[in-house]
Amino acid sequence: MSPFSIIPCVLSLLAFTVCVRAGHSSWERPAQLVAADSATALLEKRYFSIQPRGTYRVWPNAEIKYCFVDSDAKRRLLYQIQVGMGRWYAAGLPEDRFKLTEVSASECRNRRSEVLLISANNDGRLGTTAGLPPLDDTDPNYKGPTMELSDLTNVGMLEVTANFAHELGHAWGLLHEHQDPSYWAMPYSTSGVSNRWTFNCQNLKDYNAVAARLTPDKLEEACRNRNVAEKEKFSASQYLPILGRGRGEGGGTPDLESIMIYPSGAGATGAASPGNDGRTAILENANDGSRIPINLHPSGRDVAGILKLYNTDWGTTNPTLLNSPSNSLSAKFKNVFKKKRCL
């Protein structure tokens, strides 16, 4: 999961989009989601499944075309990206239908809005544009989809390949499982029957810095309301439920095996290294206080989510998403995700 200048995230819908550099960068960058019917970029963090306001673009023919910012990024990242994609194939995503294709530098320049531009950093930042959003006249900074990767092993899943597989899930259109509002109840959301998570806001890395500049009342609000947290550039926005655009149905069971769910320590205080996660917990299971595990491989529900997302209008540029009200299979799609969450 972090803030990026054009980075981002998402689950079952192409909720991937463009992210803007802002906020906490120790895990994933906040994602900017673009609704295709209005081309308006909305700074958004990843969550279960947005309600598209019209036709939302996925990658044509289920092929992500990509290039690297420079030769150093390619040298550092290519192998792990390929291995990360291999984990999706091993989990059941059809290799003959879902392709990652590297394109030339010239094609990358000439068709920038249709190519995923991948960069490397040494700061632990991870973020990916959700799907293939259109250009936005109101956001001149957005030129096309991006993926920002780091090969540090003390962030996220504490494993480079797993972190990259998570970002690839966003690139295909997956969102964060834990931000589905149906898994949250008051005071965070009215969608859920009960809170599935305990949210330890005080364990966020940037909590003390934010607390130093906000009043106690405003800080409490920022720890409960994602929109307020986003406005305050507070990393709580990466964990709190997305209201108004999620599927919003109570009940269901979170997919704790999903590679698209934050482990409890992601973005938290404390030191960590592979096999030694000393980070405090931000999200915990409300029922028993257990931590959300680190998942290194996509789950069956993750794969099911991508298959559902790309199972409509194959070969077209602008398929209608299965969770769009205009799609005749919308109700069945939502029922599938109620039981088989793929974020």
Side-chain angles (χ1 to χ4, degrees), residues 303-312 321-322 332-333 336-337:
V303 172
I306 294 180
L307 291 176
K308 287 291 182 181
L309 178 59
Y310 282 82
N311 196 34
T312 313
L321 293 182
L322 289 171
K332 291 183 179 179
F333 174 78
V336 167
F337 280 102

Side-chain angles (χ1 to χ4, degrees), residues 56-307:
Y56 203 96
R57 298 200 307 172
V58 293
W59 290 91
N61 302 312
E63 180 183 25
I64 295 178
K65 295 184 177 181
Y66 70 92
C67 64
F68 292 94
V69 167
D70 51 36
S71 58
D72 179 64
K74 180 174 181 177
R75 176 186 61 79
R76 290 173 56 183
L77 305 175
L78 178 58
Y79 175 73
Q80 293 290 0
I81 289 173
Q82 293 173 334
V83 176
M85 193 63 222
R87 290 193 180 180
W88 281 97
Y89 296 144
L93 193 68
E95 188 171 358
D96 60 339
R97 294 172 66 188
F98 292 85
K99 303 288 187 180
L100 286 181
T101 303
E102 185 178 2
V103 301
S104 66
S106 59
E107 181 173 354
C108 188
R109 288 191 301 269
N110 297 333
R111 305 184 65 181
R112 177 65 195 90
S113 64
E114 302 171 23
V115 177
L116 180 66
L117 182 63
I118 303 175
S119 63
N121 69 83
N122 298 317
D123 306 316
R125 295 191 308 274
L126 299 166
T128 305
T129 301
L132 186 62
L135 293 177
D136 182 2
D137 291 338
T138 68
D139 183 10
N141 293 320
Y142 175 62
K143 304 300 181 182
T146 62
M147 177 179 283
E148 187 172 68
L149 300 175
S150 174
D151 50 10
L152 295 184
T153 58
N154 62 350
V155 296
M157 312 297 186
L158 307 184
E159 188 200 71
V160 176
T161 302
N163 285 341
F164 288 13
H166 176 100
E167 296 305 320
L168 286 166
H170 285 314
W172 286 115
L174 299 187
L175 299 174
H176 285 152
E177 175 86 345
H178 56 275
Q179 289 191 284
D180 180 351
S182 71
Y183 297 148
W184 299 75
M186 294 296 290
Y188 307 101
S189 168
T190 59
S191 298
V193 176
S194 62
N195 281 308
R196 299 282 180 164
W197 317 119
T198 296
F199 178 50
N200 300 309
C201 190
Q202 73 281 1
N203 288 341
L204 292 164
K205 279 188 176 181
D206 57 344
Y207 177 85
N208 289 336
V210 173
R213 58 181 174 80
L214 298 182
T215 65
D217 287 346
K218 178 60 73 172
L219 177 63
E220 182 178 3
E221 188 178 6
C223 282
R224 294 182 176 182
N225 187 299
R226 198 209 65 84
N227 292 331
V228 174
E230 187 67 57
K231 183 178 179 181
E232 297 297 337
K233 295 181 172 57
F234 183 23
S235 65
S237 65
Q238 302 172 27
Y239 304 83
L240 293 168
I242 306 297
L243 306 179
R245 281 188 290 274
R247 104 185 132 80
E249 298 176 8
T253 302
D255 182 5
L256 296 179
E257 296 180 353
S258 173
I259 202 167
M260 304 309 298
I261 193 170
Y262 280 5
S264 288
T269 56
S273 60
N276 182 29
D277 191 356
R279 297 173 296 186
T280 56
I282 295 174
L283 292 176
E284 296 174 301
N285 289 292
N287 291 336
D288 58 11
S290 62
R291 292 173 69 101
I292 299 173
I294 293 176
N295 298 315
L296 303 181
H297 301 268
S299 69
R301 297 180 187 182
D302 291 335
V303 172
I306 294 180
L307 291 176

